Amino acid sequence: MRLDTVRGGPGAPVRGRPRRRIGAVTGAGLAVMNNGRVLLLAFDTATPAVTVALRGEDGVLAEHTEVDARRHGELLAPGIERVLAAAGASRTALTAVAVGVGPGPFTGLRVGLMTARALGDALEIPVYGVCTLDILAAAVAAAGAEDFAVATDARRREVYWAEYDAHGRRRTPPAVDRPADIAERLAGRAVAGQGPALYPEFFPRALEPALPSAAGLAELTARLLAEDPGALLPPLPLYLRRPDAVEPGARKSVHQPDARELGGRATTGAGRA
Amino acid sequence: MTADQPIVLGFETSCDETGVGIVRGIELLADAVATSVDEHARFGGVVPEVASRAHLDAMVPTVHRALDQAGLKLSDIDAIAVTSGPGLAGALLVGVAAAKAYALALGKPIYGVNHLAAHVCVDQLEHGPLPQPAMALLVSGGHSSLLLVPDVATDVRPLGNTIDDAAGEAFDKVARVLGLGFPGGPHVDRAARDGDPAAIAFPRGLTGPRDAPYDFSFSGLKTAVARWIEARERAGEPVPVADVAASFQEAVVDVLTRKALRACKENGVDHLLIGGGVAANSRLRALATERAEAMGIRVRVPRPGLCTDNGAMVAALGAQLVASGVEPSALDLPADSSMPVTEIVAQGLS
Ligand SMILES: [Zn+2]
């Protein structure tokens, strides 16, 4: 699945011509460089969606989303190039990066966080983290009027989830659980994210959206910078699970299966040195 | 940049070392490594998820340690190189993501390179341009390969490989049964110094007349060592750790050097390069040099710090690729955990 949106609002720069500054700077806290212009790059890789957006002072300029749970590492950097090109913007004009910090399957999540940290480092611009469940909730709250929950795929028959009030304010910390264990607690509540599609027996009331959008992340980040910058997070992953690892006995015979053979966890070598 | 003296920033995260190196042509400017080995020690092996988490946390600080060592700024970099594979998929992905982001931010070309070719190329930083062709013996916890290398930038040919455990893996497992630490290589090497390499006749795998001449097998040796120790223990006798370590080590390096030198002879190659973590083994260096000299073959082994996984080796290969005019990778280059050694540069998928 590939979704491309290029928005040509009043803030959209035109290649080759000096951009006119229209309206006030939104997000007073946004790092302002680039002759006072704000250009926020936002992306999230904590779900099967690799979603990237670029936001100027007055709104989102371009968005690019591809859904492929196994190719985050390949899709993200080209997606960033694509939104920059679509908006006619230079990478050096970026003034901040916003990244979804999960919770989400670790491998994809790390692609986003590593990319955000490295871009922030190389371009010397701030990097803001936002909980991925909150990105989904913000999209729901824009349309909804009742308490709801967000549940995304945590694999291994579990979901990452949190509860929200009608305004999209999170009321519980992000958690990871089996759907059966939270179904009663969320009974009757509408649920956004992929949870309802994956576990309709436990989450019968599905709410859009199923996947986060970077445009939503960019809008949420701009709003938080203006209204509540302390709510933005450092770019640290919300893993919520400890690494899988089996500690072997103090001394093991080579006749006994080692940790790898037991659980596929600890692997001697497999690329070392 | 000048094509033969490009300044290349190299990233290596194929296993548990976060390596960032900087070279100018074949000159080493910086080699910064952060390791998560201590976090893996209690598991007796590398835990992929632990390694991947550590790479994410270590990457940016390690980049800046490398830049400080070299006295350079990011804007001085001409090209980026990164290990694309082979290695642990999740670990590779962190380095690849970092390398792409730096390449994108700096507007510089990126080369997704083969880890094994990088192990070969790193010796240029210490001993000058590689002889062409060279024979390369790469031995570590992850690989045991014999490669014919006519040109490290364009032509690497696999001759043999381990059919079961990597040599370093055998060191790890034997160290564990001997109650020595992890990783096993240095511990066995140290213990073996006080032992007799001829004390116990351990088997030499795949050395029969009908066996594949360049392939390796260390699984049988590892089992033989364990059985020997268990028999001792059952008999209520003490285990002579130094003698077991020395005899095991001798069996490994005997096979490695014999096969590598035979490959040199049969392919008319007069330079043998040894790389990978096990190349730090003192007995391997000594025996290879002694046997090669008798055959008129020159042995090149980088210093131990360049034998283990590091970013400088990746940067070295990147610089060689620039100098050879090889096209860079596309920005959608993958992390390929089973990248074949014949693929020296990863291409994008689109
Ligand atoms: Zn290696």
Side-chain angles (χ1 to χ4, degrees), chain A residues 165-226:
Chain A
D165 70 14
H167 305 287
R169 283 186 295 243
R170 180 149 44 76
R171 300 182 347 170
T172 60
V176 59
D177 282 290
R178 281 186 307 216
D181 296 343
I182 57 170
E184 197 173 315
R185 176 176 180 152
L186 299 181
R189 213 87 57 84
V191 178
Q194 284 189 307
L198 291 167
Y199 306 103
E201 65 276 35
F202 299 114
F203 311 122
R205 286 187 63 203
L207 206 53
E208 288 291 313
L211 294 170
S213 100
L217 167 60
E219 293 295 353
L220 177 57
T221 305
R223 198 182 80 215
L224 290 173
L225 279 166

Side-chain angles (χ1 to χ4, degrees), chain A residues 25 27 71 81 115 130 135 150 153 173 191 200 204 211 223 227 244 258:
Chain A
V25 179
R71 294 182 60 211
E81 279 201 319
T115 302
V130 173
I135 305 170
V150 174
D153 187 12
V191 178
L211 294 170
R223 198 182 80 215
E227 297 169 4
D244 272 313
D258 65 13

Side-chain angles (χ1 to χ4, degrees), chain A residues 73-74 91 121 247 254 272-273, chain B residues 64 100 102 140 172 226 309:
Chain A
E74 290 144 41
R91 63 186 196 279
D121 179 48
E247 266 184 74
V254 286
R272 191 158 58 79
Chain B
H64 286 275
K100 286 181 181 182
Y102 280 106
S140 74
D172 286 340
D309 291 347

Side-chain angles (χ1 to χ4, degrees), chain A residues 24-195:
Chain A
V25 179
T26 53
L30 241 176
V32 176
M33 296 184 346
N34 185 30
N35 296 327
R37 285 189 174 274
V38 167
L39 193 59
L40 172 69
L41 174 68
F43 48 82
D44 186 282
T45 58
T47 73
V50 178
T51 178
V52 189
L54 199 60
R55 188 187 192 278
E57 288 157 23
D58 305 309
V60 172
L61 305 172
E63 182 178 26
H64 177 73
T65 299
E66 293 188 56
V67 179
D68 187 337
R70 299 161 52 85
R71 294 182 60 211
H72 293 83
E74 290 144 41
L75 298 172
L76 180 57
I80 293 169
E81 279 201 319
R82 188 185 280 255
V83 296
L84 286 168
S90 157
R91 63 186 196 279
T92 55
L94 293 172
T95 56
V97 176
V99 62
V101 298
F106 309 153
T107 304
L109 177 60
R110 270 191 293 267
V111 168
L113 285 160
M114 188 68 258
T115 302
R117 289 187 194 179
L119 287 174
D121 179 48
L123 297 169
E124 299 182 37
I125 56 177
V127 181
Y128 304 114
V130 173
C131 169
T132 298
L133 303 177
D134 292 358
I135 305 170
L136 282 150
V140 173
E146 56 174 330
D147 289 5
F148 62 95
V150 174
T152 61
D153 187 12
R155 301 187 185 156
R156 298 189 205 172
R157 314 280 312 154
E158 291 187 322
V159 290
Y160 297 116
W161 67 284
E163 293 178 79
Y164 293 84
D165 70 14
H167 305 287
R169 283 186 295 243
R170 180 149 44 76
R171 300 182 347 170
T172 60
V176 59
D177 282 290
R178 281 186 307 216
D181 296 343
I182 57 170
E184 197 173 315
R185 176 176 180 152
L186 299 181
R189 213 87 57 84
V191 178
Q194 284 189 307

Side-chain angles (χ1 to χ4, degrees), chain A residues 271-273, chain B residues 115 119 143 309:
Chain A
R272 191 158 58 79
Chain B
H115 180 85
H119 267 306
H143 14 271
D309 291 347

Side-chain angles (χ1 to χ4, degrees), chain A residues 271-273, chain B residues 12 14-15 86 115-116 119 140-143 276-277 307-310 313:
Chain A
R272 191 158 58 79
Chain B
E12 153 61 35
S14 66
C15 195
H115 180 85
L116 297 179
H119 267 306
S140 74
H143 14 271
C307 284
T308 48
D309 291 347
N310 62 81
M313 70 188 208

Side-chain angles (χ1 to χ4, degrees), chain B residues 49-73:
Chain B
E49 177 60 22
V50 171
S52 299
R53 290 184 181 193
H55 288 314
L56 174 64
D57 291 336
M59 184 56 77
V60 171
T62 308
V63 167
H64 286 275
R65 274 205 290 133
L67 288 168
D68 289 349
Q69 275 179 29
L72 294 174
K73 300 186 298 294

